[in-house]
């Protein structure tokens, strides 16, 4: 069985400040890792994913996440956030059988 | 229409009503999924279909009845629901059920059971 823990349920941040969203997982097998974003009144959109290779993955809108196997973590970071980054962010882990999600982190960016 | 669409976007129903949620994917995918999203809880996988065949039922109560007539359409039939079933119901699709295939999500149906 696997589980996903997002350590922060709410993260308020000022515009142009950096943000880090923490994600830890537990699994007895190798996994694929994902971050999804959900803007208000919308479905989930894939932000970035780690399947293999380089442990640092990046999205087109400035987010990056680093897979740390020893710490079983996949934290998401952005060096400078915009108002438009206000959303809920979900970490997800996929083994051979299912995609499991964390409870989500709500990021609120203020001017 | 592109991607994954869901109708209706909002639904209010009484506990004795029967209603259906519809999902359609325009991506040529073979696998489709229903998820339940409750506030501050992880998404819960409900059902998985692959090539129209149900491959997973995650211990969902029988008051939720899925139907997959073809690879592009997925329905969730609702009957005698409880207030605790109020949630956002998300449909997703992927090229296949294997883990390397990304799941694409629809916007969801916000269900309120009164």
């Amino acid at each position: 069985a696997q589980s996903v823990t997002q350590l922060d349920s709410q993260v308020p941040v000022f515009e142009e400040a950096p943000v880090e969203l923490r994600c830890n997982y537990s699994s007895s097998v190798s996994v694929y890792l994902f971050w999804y974003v959900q803007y208000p009144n919308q479905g989930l959109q894939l932000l970035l994913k780690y399947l293999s290779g380089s442990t640092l993955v990046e999205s087109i809108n400035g987010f990056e996440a680093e897979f740390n196997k020893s710490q079983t973590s996949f934290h998401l970071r952005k060096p400078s956030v915009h108002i438009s980054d206000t959303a809920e962010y979900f970490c997800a882990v996929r083994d051979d059988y299912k995609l499991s999600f964390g409870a989500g982190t709500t990021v609120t960016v203020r001017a | 229409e592109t991607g994954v669409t869901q109708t209706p976007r909002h639904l209010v129903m009484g506990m004795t009503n029967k209603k259906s949620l519809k999902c359609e994917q325009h991506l040529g995918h073979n696998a489709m999924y229903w998820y339940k999203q409750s506030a501050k809880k992880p998404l819960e996988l409900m059902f998985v279909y692959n090539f129209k065949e149900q491959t997973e039922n995650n211990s969902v109560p029988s008051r939720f009845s899925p139907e997959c007539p073809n690879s592009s359409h997925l329905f969730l039939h609702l009957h005698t629901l409880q207030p605790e079933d109020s949630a956002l119901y998300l449909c997703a699709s992927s090229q296949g059920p294997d883990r390397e295939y990304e799941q694409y999500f629809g916007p969801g149906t916000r269900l309120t059971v009164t």
Side-chain angles (χ1 to χ4, degrees):
Chain A
Q2 63 190 20
S3 66
V4 184
T5 303
Q6 291 184 241
L7 297 161
D8 308 292
S9 62
Q10 306 263 358
V11 174
V13 59
F14 286 105
E15 192 174 20
E16 298 183 7
V19 70
E20 179 180 74
L21 309 183
R22 296 177 291 170
C23 174
N24 288 90
Y25 68 94
S26 64
S27 176
S28 58
V29 299
S30 64
V31 295
Y32 290 172
L33 300 159
F34 305 83
W35 275 99
Y36 283 85
V37 58
Q38 186 176 32
Y39 298 105
N41 301 313
Q42 295 187 30
L44 276 69
Q45 301 173 38
L46 182 67
L47 190 59
L48 45 77
K49 60 185 176 183
Y50 171 78
L51 304 183
S52 64
S54 173
T55 58
L56 183 66
V57 291
E58 298 177 351
S59 73
I60 58 173
N61 56 353
F63 283 93
E64 64 179 30
E66 186 160 19
F67 169 53
N68 187 318
K69 187 175 182 179
S70 62
Q71 297 186 4
T72 59
S73 68
F74 191 54
H75 301 333
L76 181 71
R77 302 182 185 92
K78 187 171 184 178
S80 176
V81 296
H82 302 290
I83 298 289
S84 59
D85 292 322
T86 294
E88 191 159 17
Y89 293 80
F90 295 90
C91 181
V93 174
R94 179 69 196 261
D95 63 12
D96 286 335
Y97 300 102
K98 66 182 290 187
L99 184 64
S100 299
F101 288 84
T105 298
T106 300
V107 174
T108 304
V109 182
R110 294 177 286 190
Chain B
E1 292 275 17
T2 58
V4 181
T5 58
Q6 290 186 244
T7 55
R9 293 293 308 276
H10 300 272
L11 178 62
V12 179
M13 60 185 289
M15 290 189 284
T16 58
N17 290 158
K18 288 184 181 181
K19 297 287 184 182
S20 295
L21 311 185
K22 178 183 175 182
C23 174
E24 183 173 3
Q25 57 95 359
H26 309 268
L27 301 167
H29 289 165
N30 299 310
M32 297 188 77
Y33 312 79
W34 279 117
Y35 287 89
K36 177 183 180 181
Q37 184 180 20
S38 303
K40 292 306 167 190
K41 291 176 63 177
L43 268 72
E44 301 171 48
L45 179 64
M46 301 174 71
F47 302 103
V48 180
Y49 278 81
N50 188 35
F51 288 101
K52 303 187 302 178
E53 299 297 321
Q54 188 180 120
T55 57
E56 187 163 344
N57 176 337
N58 206 21
S59 302
V60 180
S62 59
R63 58 185 183 270
F64 294 91
S65 174
E67 178 190 1
C68 189
N70 54 61
S71 293
S72 299
H73 294 85
L74 185 64
F75 295 89
L76 189 62
H77 304 300
L78 314 172
H79 178 49
T80 59
L81 296 191
Q82 304 299 311
E84 60 265 29
D85 296 323
S86 298
L88 182 68
Y89 288 84
L90 292 167
C91 174
S93 71
S94 63
Q95 189 173 339
D98 297 331
R99 64 175 184 167
E100 65 265 29
Y101 296 120
E102 174 189 340
Q103 291 185 22
Y104 291 78
F105 285 81
T109 295
R110 174 71 62 187
L111 174 67
T112 303
V113 181
T114 61

